[in-house]
Amino acid sequence: MSSTRTLLSPAALARPRGKVLYWTVFTGVVLLFTLAFLFPVYWMVTGALKSPDEVAQTPPTLVPQHWHLSAYTDAWDLMQLPRHLWNTFVQAAGAWACQLVFCTAAAYALSRLRPAFGKVILGGILATLMVPAQALVVPKYLTVADLPLIHTSLLNDPLAIWLPAAANAFNLYLLKRFFDQIPRDVLEAAEIDGAGKLRTLWSIVLPMSRPVLGVVSIFALVAVWQDFLWPLMVFSDTDKQPISVALVQLSQNIQLTVLIAAMVIASIPMVALFLVFQRHIIAGISAGSTKG
């Protein structure tokens, strides 16, 4: 008979004093973690509501003395946020679509079609995860600046974001691991019914893969939305830059409160995306527990 050692025995927790102590400690820990995660967000939002002098004063004020909403409207107009948010949306949506199509097809082929040298190919793909992302920046830039075979430049073009994003080894491996867990009986039943490989992928595998597809989608969108170095290199045209680059490029002569307000507005889409799809994210964490 195995026993589990804890700081407090079950008998001590059953007593009223033990219950009070347990829930006091538990509540305190939860509140501390909540404060640690949410306080920076509160500080950023309220910082844009303060006056420039109040933001710079020492010691800082926890609550704005006077509420100023003009920083948000100034950020929207002066920093041209609608244009740059649209640029970011186009780049993120295209990268998400390319990544979902190519990574899903490659993962399904490696998992279910069993190509020749499939393990070697998968090992080569996973080996790219060991290479620092910064080491690949120069080769990628030279490639998009003069695309092989057709010798055209993709600079200042969303394709410079879309095509490199499609080759994501981590998301490909995540999809393959999920496809490996799909019961073979389901796929064999589809073959008996006359479904081909493509039909099986579209009608059977993809509907069953919604949790992991949701997780991959979140990873793909967040990666493009928060990327800075690569868009900075490929978009020299200010009008085509995403929000992450524009916030830095246009912050030279902008008040601090206006810049903080622009950061708040830029973070809203990703926060909203998480709140809407949090159920799929949590479900995707346990995606590998599919039972046969």
Side-chain angles (χ1 to χ4, degrees), residues 70-150:
S70 58
Y72 287 97
T73 57
D74 291 342
W76 187 263
D77 296 329
L78 295 177
M79 304 194 72
Q80 302 175 344
L81 291 187
R83 172 185 297 172
H84 296 295
L85 285 172
W86 173 252
N87 293 339
T88 310
F89 173 78
V90 171
Q91 295 167 21
W96 164 78
C98 291
Q99 194 169 135
L100 216 58
V101 171
F102 290 105
C103 288
T104 301
Y108 180 71
L110 293 171
S111 175
R112 292 301 173 180
L113 302 185
R114 310 286 182 175
F117 305 106
K119 293 184 178 180
V120 177
I121 295 172
L122 179 62
I125 293 173
L126 295 181
T128 61
L129 294 175
M130 309 302 166
V131 181
Q134 293 80 2
L136 300 176
V137 170
V138 174
K140 283 198 304 182
Y141 181 82
L142 295 176
T143 302
V144 300
D146 185 14
L147 205 62
L149 299 180
I150 59 177

Side-chain angles (χ1 to χ4, degrees), residues 5 41 55 73 85 91 127-128 172 189 194 251 255 258 265 277:
R5 293 181 175 272
V41 179
V55 171
T73 57
L85 285 172
Q91 295 167 21
T128 61
L172 187 151
S251 62
Q255 288 184 349
V258 176
I265 296 174
F277 293 102

Side-chain angles (χ1 to χ4, degrees), residues 36-272:
F37 281 101
L38 294 184
F39 182 76
V41 179
Y42 166 80
W43 193 256
M44 181 174 63
V45 173
T46 56
L49 298 173
K50 300 176 182 178
S51 64
D53 294 335
E54 186 179 358
V55 171
Q57 78 177 34
T58 303
T61 56
L62 187 62
V63 180
Q65 298 175 353
H66 302 283
W67 299 76
H68 301 274
L69 296 176
S70 58
Y72 287 97
T73 57
D74 291 342
W76 187 263
D77 296 329
L78 295 177
M79 304 194 72
Q80 302 175 344
L81 291 187
R83 172 185 297 172
H84 296 295
L85 285 172
W86 173 252
N87 293 339
T88 310
F89 173 78
V90 171
Q91 295 167 21
W96 164 78
C98 291
Q99 194 169 135
L100 216 58
V101 171
F102 290 105
C103 288
T104 301
Y108 180 71
L110 293 171
S111 175
R112 292 301 173 180
L113 302 185
R114 310 286 182 175
F117 305 106
K119 293 184 178 180
V120 177
I121 295 172
L122 179 62
I125 293 173
L126 295 181
T128 61
L129 294 175
M130 309 302 166
V131 181
Q134 293 80 2
L136 300 176
V137 170
V138 174
K140 283 198 304 182
Y141 181 82
L142 295 176
T143 302
V144 300
D146 185 14
L147 205 62
L149 299 180
I150 59 177
H151 298 289
T152 185
S153 175
L154 297 181
L155 299 180
N156 292 313
D157 192 309
L159 286 172
I161 302 294
W162 298 352
L163 297 183
N168 190 297
F170 177 78
N171 285 344
L172 187 151
Y173 182 70
L174 190 65
L175 287 165
K176 181 188 178 299
R177 290 296 301 168
F178 183 87
F179 294 160
D180 290 341
Q181 300 296 324
I182 295 178
R184 182 174 294 274
D185 296 342
V186 176
L187 302 180
E188 290 177 349
E191 292 179 4
I192 293 174
D193 290 340
K197 299 297 184 182
L198 185 59
R199 180 69 176 178
T200 301
L201 172 63
W202 182 259
S203 301
I204 305 297
V205 176
L206 291 183
M208 296 179 64
S209 306
R210 289 177 182 174
V212 71
L213 290 176
V215 173
V216 169
S217 298
I218 295 295
F219 287 165
L221 292 173
V222 171
V224 176
W225 200 275
Q226 68 180 7
D227 194 11
F228 172 77
L229 179 59
W230 182 244
L232 176 65
M233 295 181 64
V234 298
F235 287 105
S236 58
D237 187 350
T238 307
D239 292 336
K240 296 182 179 180
Q241 290 175 344
I243 190 68
S244 59
V245 178
L247 288 179
V248 177
Q249 299 283 25
L250 300 177
S251 62
Q252 304 299 325
N253 300 315
I254 297 295
Q255 288 184 349
L256 181 58
T257 54
V258 176
L259 180 60
I260 296 175
M263 294 179 181
V264 174
I265 296 174
S267 64
I268 290 176
M270 287 296 100
V271 175

